[in-house]
């Protein structure tokens, strides 16, 4: 099927979805959740093909982790669909209503976008997240996954389509572009006639390619160079636990910590236990001139050196791997300056017992999600109660941070009159 045919089918389905009641949406979403679990063995078998091929191509471990599906991850995917079903439906909400002097009542009402295009890389769990959020908001979705996950994505979408059809709803509510060529991707980015908004989800290269080549409006999701700032008043045990979670719980995701910033006044007390913890997780530390002797002393009795000197490129790097940069700063203002210079507008956290510094950090850090005394790993649609996410927006127009249901709606003006005419 060519892209124009896919676009026509999506546009037609979007008209049905746009007026669908909440109960019907929820019935379909729960049926799709059941279908994912019922089809688990088939999905896992197809995913195994993708993972095996990835290994044969020497795909990095962090990318294989993103590609891999397990029974637990399938259960999370199904749970995400159920959570979306349980959330309030934003479509049809009247946001505002005012009465003009001439008697006209003018309001704003939430409506679907229409047709949403998603371009993403080797993360097959995105397939169900994207479908679920788009469906609940009355949008048809066209998916363009990467070649690395093509077998997994075909299996998931076929299962979703069968579940949708079993509920007597247009199965073209979700469609997958199976041609993974760059030429087809470029054509997809220019399908203005049918697609209302395009959302890229993946690495910096993919996102910039879409931003530069798309003629369809783009919601830009961003890479994550996320920082943890250990302030001079920090609880050291808390700092170690937060950094351990933010860096090592899952290293291949955009909300993982990539950069550690530490106040010089707590350096000698806080850095040794942090360094030992990171070394135990085999995390390579890219250290500045002030931190490297302390790290060296802290891990000198371990089998291998896990530290090297940092270069300028390390401060802005999204590693998605067992690496972290370490920067020592003279004061709070220097920490804020460093973070705002090198961050990607994603997620930043401060570990502090100083209330004033906590509030200043919240006010002055320019990012979609700013934390006090918590791991950056919570920047996630599921954790925020959105039932998964369509992506994490690092731009400031329309949507910012984890994009749930509201981010996938627009609005139209509704006007009630009583025979008014304009003079």
């Amino acid at each position: 099927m060519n892209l124009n045919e896919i676009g026509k089918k999506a546009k037609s389905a979007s008209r049905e979805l746009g007026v669908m009641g909440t109960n019907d949406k929820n019935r379909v979403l729960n049926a799709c959740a059941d279908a994912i679990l019922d089809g688990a063995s088939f999905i896992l078998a197809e995913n195994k093909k993708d993972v095996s091929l990835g290994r044969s191509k020497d795909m990095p471990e962090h990318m294989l982790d993103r590609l891999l599906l397990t029974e637990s991850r399938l259960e999370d995917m199904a749970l995400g669909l159920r959570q979306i079903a349980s959330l309030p439906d934003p479509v049809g909400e009247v946001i505002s209503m005012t009465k003009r002097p001439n008697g006209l009542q003018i309001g704003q009402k939430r409506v679907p976008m229409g047709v949403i295009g998603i371009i993403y890389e080797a993360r097959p769990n995105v397939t169900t997240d994207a479908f679920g959020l788009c469906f609940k908001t009355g949008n048809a979705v066209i998916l363009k996954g990467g070649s690395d996950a093509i077998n997994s994505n075909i299996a998931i979408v076929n299962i979703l389509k069968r579940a949708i059809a079993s509920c007597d709803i247009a199965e073209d509510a979700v469609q997958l572009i199976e041609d993974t060529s760059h030429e087809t991707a470029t054509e997809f980015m220019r399908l203005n006639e049918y697609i209302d908004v395009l959302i890229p989800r993946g690495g910096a290269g993919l996102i910039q390619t879409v931003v530069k080549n798309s003629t369809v409006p783009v919601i830009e999701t961003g890479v994550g160079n996320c920082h943890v700032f250990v302030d001079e008043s920090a609880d050291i045990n808390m700092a170690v636990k937060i950094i351990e979670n933010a860096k090592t719980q899952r290293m291949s995701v955009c909300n993982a910590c990539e950069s550690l910033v530490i106040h010089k006044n707590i350096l000698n007390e806080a850095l040794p236990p942090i360094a030992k913890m990171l070394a135990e997780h085999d995390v390579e530390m890219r250290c500045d001139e002030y931190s490297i002797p302390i790290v060296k002393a802290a891990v000198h009795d371990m089998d291998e050196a896990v530290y090297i000197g940092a270069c300028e490129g390390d401060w802005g790097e999204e590693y998605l791997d067992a690496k972290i940069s370490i920067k020592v700063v003279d004061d709070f203002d220097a920490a804020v300056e460093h973070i705002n210079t090198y961050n990607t507008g994603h997620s930043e956290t401060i570990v502090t017992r100083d209330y004033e510094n906590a509030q200043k950090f919240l006010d002055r850090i320019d990012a979609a999600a700013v934390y006090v005394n918590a791991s950056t790993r919570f920047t996630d649609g599921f954790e925020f109660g959105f039932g998964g996410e369509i992506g994490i927006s690092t731009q400031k127009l329309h949507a910012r941070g984890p994009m749930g249901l509201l981010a996938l709606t627009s609005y139209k003006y509704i006007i009630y009159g009583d025979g008014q005419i304009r003079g």
Side-chain angles (χ1 to χ4, degrees), residues 8-28:
K8 288 177 183 177
K9 288 177 179 291
K11 183 64 76 175
S12 177
S14 72
R15 297 189 182 101
E16 177 182 342
L17 300 177
V19 295
M20 186 180 296
T22 302
N23 289 339
D24 284 334
K25 294 179 188 177
N26 294 343
R27 177 170 59 90
V28 172

Side-chain angles (χ1 to χ4, degrees), residues 4-252:
N4 280 321
E5 291 174 344
I6 290 173
K8 288 177 183 177
K9 288 177 179 291
K11 183 64 76 175
S12 177
S14 72
R15 297 189 182 101
E16 177 182 342
L17 300 177
V19 295
M20 186 180 296
T22 302
N23 289 339
D24 284 334
K25 294 179 188 177
N26 294 343
R27 177 170 59 90
V28 172
L29 289 168
N30 283 311
C32 288
D34 291 339
I36 290 295
L37 296 180
D38 291 342
S41 58
F42 173 60
I43 295 171
L44 292 177
E46 294 302 295
N47 179 250
K48 187 176 181 179
K49 296 178 184 177
D50 291 329
V51 173
S52 296
L53 188 59
R55 290 193 188 281
S56 71
K57 295 179 179 179
D58 296 322
M59 181 183 286
E61 283 299 320
H62 70 273
M63 293 302 296
L64 286 170
D65 178 63
R66 286 188 166 201
L67 175 60
L68 177 67
L69 290 176
T70 63
E71 289 189 5
S72 175
R73 290 182 180 181
L74 288 180
E75 288 170 1
D76 286 343
M77 289 161 60
L79 180 60
L81 290 173
R82 296 192 201 284
Q83 187 177 17
I84 293 169
S86 72
L87 294 173
D89 186 349
V91 175
E93 175 191 1
V94 177
I95 305 167
S96 66
M97 183 68 72
T98 59
K99 189 171 185 178
R100 300 292 298 149
N102 64 359
L104 284 179
Q105 296 185 71
I106 302 176
Q108 289 178 314
K109 182 178 181 179
R110 289 199 188 279
V111 296
M113 293 278 191
V115 178
I116 295 177
I118 314 288
I119 298 183
Y120 56 109
E121 294 176 330
R123 293 188 66 176
N125 63 298
V126 172
T127 305
T128 53
D129 285 348
F131 158 71
L133 290 164
C134 290
F135 190 84
K136 183 64 178 263
T137 46
N139 296 293
V141 64
I142 302 174
L143 303 169
K144 174 71 172 66
S147 59
D148 293 326
I150 188 61
N151 293 298
S152 306
N153 289 334
I154 290 173
I156 293 167
V157 170
N158 284 342
I159 284 173
L160 291 175
K161 289 172 79 72
R162 286 199 296 269
I164 296 167
S166 73
C167 296
D168 295 321
I169 304 297
E171 65 177 43
D172 293 325
V174 57
Q175 296 183 82
L176 176 71
I177 298 172
E178 297 184 12
D179 182 346
T180 60
S181 68
H182 294 299
E183 293 78 13
T184 298
T186 300
E187 185 182 352
F188 183 41
M189 297 174 205
R190 297 172 181 172
L191 212 61
N192 300 63
E193 185 177 355
Y194 303 110
I195 301 176
D196 295 286
V197 66
L198 189 61
I199 303 172
R201 184 167 175 180
L206 170 68
I207 293 165
Q208 288 308 307
T209 296
V210 174
V211 169
K212 291 176 181 177
N213 290 284
S214 179
T215 57
V216 177
V218 175
I219 298 178
E220 185 176 350
T221 60
V223 296
N225 178 26
C226 305
H227 297 73
V228 175
F229 170 42
V230 182
D231 194 19
E232 62 179 322
S233 67
D235 179 312
I236 294 174
N237 289 330
M238 179 188 291
V240 172
K241 290 178 181 178
I242 286 174
I243 295 163
E244 181 175 30
N245 180 260
K247 179 68 244 182
T248 71
Q249 194 252 354
R250 194 173 178 192
M251 300 187 196
S252 62

Side-chain angles (χ1 to χ4, degrees), residues 341-410:
T341 298
Y342 294 102
N343 80 1
T344 53
H346 198 294
S347 302
E348 312 297 339
T349 192
I350 183 175
V351 185
T352 187
R353 287 180 286 197
D354 186 316
Y355 176 81
E356 182 178 349
N357 280 358
Q359 296 308 117
K360 287 196 297 183
F361 193 82
L362 292 174
D363 290 340
R364 293 170 57 183
I365 291 297
D366 184 12
V370 187
Y371 295 82
V372 175
N373 295 330
S375 169
T376 56
R377 285 284 288 115
F378 287 102
T379 306
D380 173 87
F382 188 86
E383 294 292 341
F384 276 26
F386 299 161
E389 67 193 27
I390 207 77
I392 297 174
S393 171
T394 53
Q395 65 182 27
K396 300 179 183 180
L397 297 177
H398 170 61
R400 196 178 194 193
M403 292 185 290
L405 299 177
L406 290 182
L408 300 181
T409 63
S410 183

